[in-house]
Amino acid sequence: MYSWEEPKQKPYAMYIHGFASSPKSGTRASLARALPEYEWLAPEITHEPYESLAILNEWAHTFKPEVIVGTSMGGMLALYVDAPQATKIILNPSLEMDKTLRQRGYGKHPYLQEREDGAKEFIIDEPMIQRFVAFKKEHSFIPGSRNIALISTDDELLGHEMSKRNAKAVEEAGWQVVWSNKFGHRCNDHAVKEIVKQLKNS
């Protein structure tokens, strides 16, 4: 965990994890190994969109990261983070959270990673789903200095039809869309290499 008083040694970059995950997923460490020129931040967000965006904006306003990488729900939230100075790279953004949550099913679910807040499980119910629906209606995308969406051709969680709709939505908002057949939904080594490639080409 980073304190607000920590002195800046390198330019900051920020990783936003996905739904039911945490900063301990390993993706931040993979990005830090691949891109050591940045000091990688990884705020812990919750399964609530409004609360999560408030956390992310606090970190973005405090640290002013030069790069923001978000995966899945983290990719969706990255679209709304107020960080116009940052290069934003989103990986398989989960833009239809209502559909994804209904597919997962109502009731209690375990978090997939150990969390800093100590939470072990969360509950999916209709009020939660409706908060995501309202969030999407109430917010508009905030572009960064450069905006790239990496979309998998074989997303085992979202499916290809939803991925196509997601790609169309961000492309219509002016984002560069890059399709890849080298990774599925999550940020594996191939996805990290593509993120590095996009940053090096900026």
Side-chain angles (χ1 to χ4, degrees):
M1 193 70 176
Y2 292 84
S3 69
W4 301 118
E5 295 78 25
E6 183 178 354
K8 179 178 178 181
Q9 303 296 326
K10 304 175 184 177
Y12 286 118
M14 187 164 75
Y15 169 65
I16 308 173
H17 66 78
F19 186 82
S21 190
S22 84
K24 296 184 179 182
S25 67
T27 303
R28 177 199 163 275
S30 295
L31 290 167
R33 285 193 298 270
L35 293 160
E37 60 267 38
Y38 297 102
E39 183 72 21
W40 282 89
L41 309 170
E44 183 168 81
I45 58 174
T46 75
H47 53 272
E48 294 289 345
Y50 293 95
E51 180 182 10
S52 294
L53 183 60
I55 292 168
L56 295 171
N57 277 334
E58 181 180 9
W59 283 64
H61 295 163
T62 300
F63 293 106
K64 297 178 173 54
E66 293 185 6
V67 175
I68 294 176
V69 174
T71 59
S72 194
M73 189 184 84
M76 179 273 287
L77 289 167
L79 290 162
Y80 303 103
V81 173
D82 184 14
Q85 79 285 348
T87 294
K88 291 185 175 184
I89 300 179
I90 55 176
L91 176 72
N92 295 321
S94 187
L95 302 188
E96 300 179 9
M97 283 296 295
D98 55 328
K99 294 182 176 65
T100 303
L101 291 174
R102 287 196 177 98
Q103 289 172 2
R104 189 179 288 248
Y106 296 120
K108 290 183 179 180
H109 296 267
Y111 279 104
L112 303 176
Q113 304 290 336
E114 180 184 359
R115 287 182 56 86
E116 294 169 354
D117 62 10
K120 302 294 185 183
E121 60 186 17
F122 57 92
I123 296 174
I124 296 176
D125 55 18
E126 191 59 27
M128 175 205 278
I129 292 172
Q130 289 306 314
R131 285 191 289 276
F132 277 98
V133 173
F135 178 89
K136 188 173 180 179
K137 291 179 179 177
E138 294 169 9
H139 292 80
S140 299
F141 297 166
I142 299 178
S145 60
R146 187 172 175 228
N147 307 284
I148 305 158
L150 307 181
I151 309 292
S152 173
T153 58
D154 187 23
D155 190 318
E156 73 281 3
L157 179 65
L158 302 183
H160 192 59
E161 291 306 311
M162 189 180 292
S163 294
K164 287 196 296 184
R165 293 195 299 271
N166 292 341
K168 181 179 179 182
V170 296
E171 193 168 37
E172 288 177 347
W175 285 59
Q176 176 189 352
V177 174
V178 178
W179 287 90
S180 177
N181 63 0
K182 293 184 178 180
F183 51 84
H185 182 70
R186 292 171 178 82
C187 191
N188 64 13
D189 290 343
H190 291 294
V192 170
K193 288 178 182 178
E194 186 62 39
I195 290 167
V196 172
K197 175 183 174 183
Q198 293 299 324
L199 284 174
K200 300 298 185 184
N201 289 340
S202 63

